[in-house]
Amino acid sequence: MPPTDEALLDNPVYAALCGPHARFAQVRGRARRYPADVAPFLALPSSPSAQDWRDAAGLLAPGTYAAVRCSGAELPDAWQAVDAFDLVQMIGERVTGFDCPEAIPLGAADVPEMLKLVAQTAPGPFLTRTIELGDYLGIRRAGALVAMAGERFHLDGWTEISAICTKPDHRGQGLASQLVGALIAGIQLRSERVFLHVLSTNTGAIRLYEELGFRVRQTATITVVTRELRTLRH
């Protein structure tokens, strides 16, 4: 497998929107974001300037929300932190892809059922057009979708696995591991490496991914932001 630039993972949303996902990018200056129905992420260069934040403001209408890789303390005036999540970034160091006979490709027709599964399991953002970002696989039992996982951020040489979730009454059967293995197989066929993000509090998932051959690379804070609404003075 050819070498990959691990430094891209320091700012993965920006790397994706400047690279393989540039077709999705809404751009103003150096600021970029995904369309709001694809993914909720806003991206700035590392160490953004005041102008970068002004450009970002042009991509986010007042009263709407986006997720950005920074802490609330880094936000300039006119921006407000609504929520924050501490994430662990993991990269596949000793991962091996394998076939999952039960895994089936998911497409646009499956999105309503995928959204229902996401609502039950809260694996992270998955919206009406998120499926356009990459390949998604699912497992059905008695016709019902009970587990899924897919690809989200694509960087040069890297693909992120995301939206890993299993219906509560089907957990403990290894379905998530099977889907992750099948996705890894497809990613490795493209001579790419795999990474993912998981909440730092989800220690059970972190242990599972370590067992699958992932290692913790770094931690990061994702902050949900909005532009403050200005009150007109009379």
Side-chain angles (χ1 to χ4, degrees):
M1 188 172 293
T4 53
D5 186 358
E6 196 171 306
L8 293 174
L9 300 179
D10 290 339
N11 196 349
V13 184
Y14 194 72
L17 288 172
C18 289
H21 275 176
R23 68 188 183 278
F24 292 106
Q26 297 176 351
V27 181
R28 184 158 181 165
R30 297 198 301 169
R32 285 162 167 76
R33 70 166 295 175
Y34 283 97
D37 55 353
V38 174
F41 297 100
L42 170 72
L44 297 167
S46 299
S47 302
S49 67
Q51 182 61 50
D52 292 331
W53 281 106
R54 286 192 289 270
D55 289 334
L59 296 175
L60 188 67
T64 63
Y65 303 90
V68 64
R69 188 184 178 94
C70 72
S71 69
E74 299 173 65
L75 292 175
D77 291 342
W79 290 83
Q80 180 180 353
V82 177
D83 206 346
F85 303 92
D86 292 326
L87 302 179
V88 172
Q89 184 185 80
M90 306 183 75
I91 61 175
E93 191 167 66
R94 304 177 312 280
V95 296
T96 302
F98 52 84
D99 185 42
C100 174
E102 271 198 287
I104 57 172
L106 299 175
D110 300 296
V111 167
E113 199 170 0
M114 297 168 77
L115 290 170
K116 289 180 182 178
L117 181 58
V118 166
Q120 287 181 300
T121 57
F126 184 87
L127 306 169
T128 55
R129 292 179 55 207
T130 303
I131 198 167
E132 297 177 22
L133 297 178
D135 295 333
Y136 280 79
L137 300 175
I139 292 176
R140 291 186 177 277
R141 295 280 171 84
L145 184 67
V146 299
M148 75 176 203
E151 301 172 353
R152 187 169 61 181
F153 302 140
H154 286 258
L155 291 56
D156 290 329
W158 295 90
T159 294
E160 182 201 30
I161 292 179
S162 182
I164 305 165
C165 55
T166 303
K167 200 172 178 180
D169 57 357
H170 283 76
R171 290 174 181 165
Q173 302 175 33
L175 303 186
S177 298
Q178 293 176 51
L179 290 172
V180 169
L183 287 168
I184 291 171
I187 292 166
Q188 291 179 332
L189 279 175
R190 302 196 300 261
S191 297
E192 295 176 351
R193 292 187 64 189
V194 61
F195 71 108
L196 54 80
H197 292 94
V198 58
L199 287 173
S200 61
T201 54
N202 195 347
T203 54
I206 292 170
R207 283 196 302 271
L208 170 63
Y209 299 139
E210 287 175 335
E211 291 171 2
L212 292 175
F214 287 83
R215 71 166 172 86
V216 174
R217 179 177 180 269
Q218 65 175 351
T219 59
T221 299
I222 298 293
T223 302
V224 179
V225 299
T226 188
R227 286 174 55 201
E228 293 180 349
L229 293 169
R230 299 283 186 183
T231 302
L232 295 176
R233 295 173 181 259
H234 296 283

